[in-house]
């Protein structure tokens, strides 16, 4: 059985719904997504250039996997589709971090997922979402969208505009509960709360700021002026933090990071961050390092 046939039969627990032959026919993208993994653990090489090298990893922007499908250009921080790097499978339960650009009027046709927490963060343009739960929505910069795929969902995502790109981050996190009832949530941020400080956009708690997911994870966004220093406190002992620099530059625990670099740290209680340029935007993803 080749890989595509295996995918169409379903990848239980890897984000792909267990698909029947008829469902397989709805997968119009012709983009294989992710393969089954070994049990979750530490999957990264220590960062030999870091002052805290025994518990950190650096992924420079130009080291990411890249796929150009014409209508879609995607940069993969972790192995995805045709980009496979055994040293870049995941950071703890953070499995996918895709930096996507979708051409005008194009998008991902109806396709299935299961048992994955899927977060979309639009950066530019308008992304139209429809799913088998009956949700139909437009998400834009400043919005945060999440889906708990759980027992299985079908959804599509398209660039609503015919004259401009849409850019967004697609993030997948392994859940701490399998086969939950699928769920959708979407919020619009008050961006003023993320000026020179981190604003919480995701947590495990339905009563907390941001969207919530089935995992002991906390995501924060912040936009900083030059030379602003801040400290991030770990919410749960044993978690690690993966920082993704959306724009600008910073020093995190002495490690220099620039636009679209990723920097992961574990075995810490807090994280010292200093912006080194104006308008530095950082996404922090605190996640468990093991299931």
């Amino acid at each position: 059985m080749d890989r595509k046939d295996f995918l169409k039969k379903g990848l239980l627990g890897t984000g792909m719904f267990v698909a029947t032959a008829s469902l397989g026919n709805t997968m119009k993208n012709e983009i294989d997504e992710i393969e089954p993994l070994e049990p979750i653990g530490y999957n990264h090489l220590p960062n030999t250039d870091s002052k805290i090298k025994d518990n950190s990893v650096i992924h420079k922007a130009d080291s990411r996997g890249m796929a150009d499908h014409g209508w879609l250009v995607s940069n993969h921080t972790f192995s995805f589709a045709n980009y496979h790097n055994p040293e870049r499978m995941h950071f703890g339960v953070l499995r996918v971090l895709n930096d996507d650009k979708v051409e005008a009027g194009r998008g991902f046709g109806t396709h299935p997922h299961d048992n994955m927490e899927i977060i979309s963060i639009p950066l530019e343009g308008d992304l139209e979402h429809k799913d088998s739960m009956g949700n139909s929505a437009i998400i834009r910069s400043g919005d945060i969208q999440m889906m708990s795929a759980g027992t299985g969902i079908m959804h599509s995502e398209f660039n609503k505009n015919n004259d401009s790109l849409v850019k967004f981050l697609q993030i997948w996190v392994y859940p701490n509960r399998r086969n939950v009832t699928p769920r959708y949530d979407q919020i619009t941020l008050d961006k003023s709360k993320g000026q020179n400080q981190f604003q919480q956009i995701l947590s495990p708690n339905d009563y907390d700021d941001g969207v919530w997911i089935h995992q002991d994870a906390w995501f924060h966004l912040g936009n900083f002026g030059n030379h602003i220093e801040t400290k991030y406190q770990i919410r749960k002992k044993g978690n690690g933090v993966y920082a993704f620099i959306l724009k600008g530059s910073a020093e995190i625990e002495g490690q220099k990071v620039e636009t679209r670099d990723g920097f992961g740290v574990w075995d810490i209680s807090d994280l010292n961050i200093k912006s080194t340029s104006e308008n530095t935007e950082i996404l922090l993803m605190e996640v468990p390092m093991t299931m």
Side-chain angles (χ1 to χ4, degrees), residues 15 17 112-120 129 131-133 135 145-155 171-186 202-206 211-215:
F17 183 72
H113 296 282
D114 83 342
N115 286 308
M116 191 69 75
E117 305 294 293
I118 301 172
I119 301 100
S120 296
H129 165 93
D131 64 46
S132 55
M133 294 178 281
N135 298 297
Q145 180 202 73
M146 69 75 51
M147 293 187 299
S148 292
T151 53
I153 59 168
M154 306 284 290
H155 80 130
I171 302 166
W172 295 9
V173 174
Y174 282 102
N176 55 17
R177 294 177 57 201
R178 288 179 54 80
N179 297 323
V180 299
T181 300
R183 187 175 61 85
Y184 177 89
D185 195 9
Q186 177 183 335
L202 176 149
S203 82
N205 307 310
D206 60 358
V211 297
W212 67 273
I213 65 171
H214 294 286
Q215 187 52 269

Side-chain angles (χ1 to χ4, degrees), residues 181-238:
T181 300
R183 187 175 61 85
Y184 177 89
D185 195 9
Q186 177 183 335
I187 62 169
T188 298
L189 300 175
D190 178 354
K191 290 190 173 182
S192 67
K193 294 182 178 179
Q195 292 298 314
N196 291 325
Q197 62 184 344
F198 282 110
Q199 175 183 13
Q200 183 172 287
I201 64 171
L202 176 149
S203 82
N205 307 310
D206 60 358
Y207 55 81
D208 214 346
D209 289 342
V211 297
W212 67 273
I213 65 171
H214 294 286
Q215 187 52 269
D216 292 326
W218 287 261
F219 286 13
H220 289 76
L221 268 174
N223 193 302
F224 301 90
N226 198 12
H227 303 306
I228 299 295
E229 297 187 33
T230 187
K231 179 175 287 190
Y232 176 79
Q233 205 76 30
I234 297 295
R235 269 52 177 177
K236 184 176 180 180
K237 185 177 180 180

Side-chain angles (χ1 to χ4, degrees), residues 2 81 85-86 96 105 136 146 156 201 234 268 283:
D2 67 23
N85 182 340
V96 169
S136 180
M146 69 75 51
S156 63
I201 64 171
I234 297 295
I268 54 169
L283 171 64

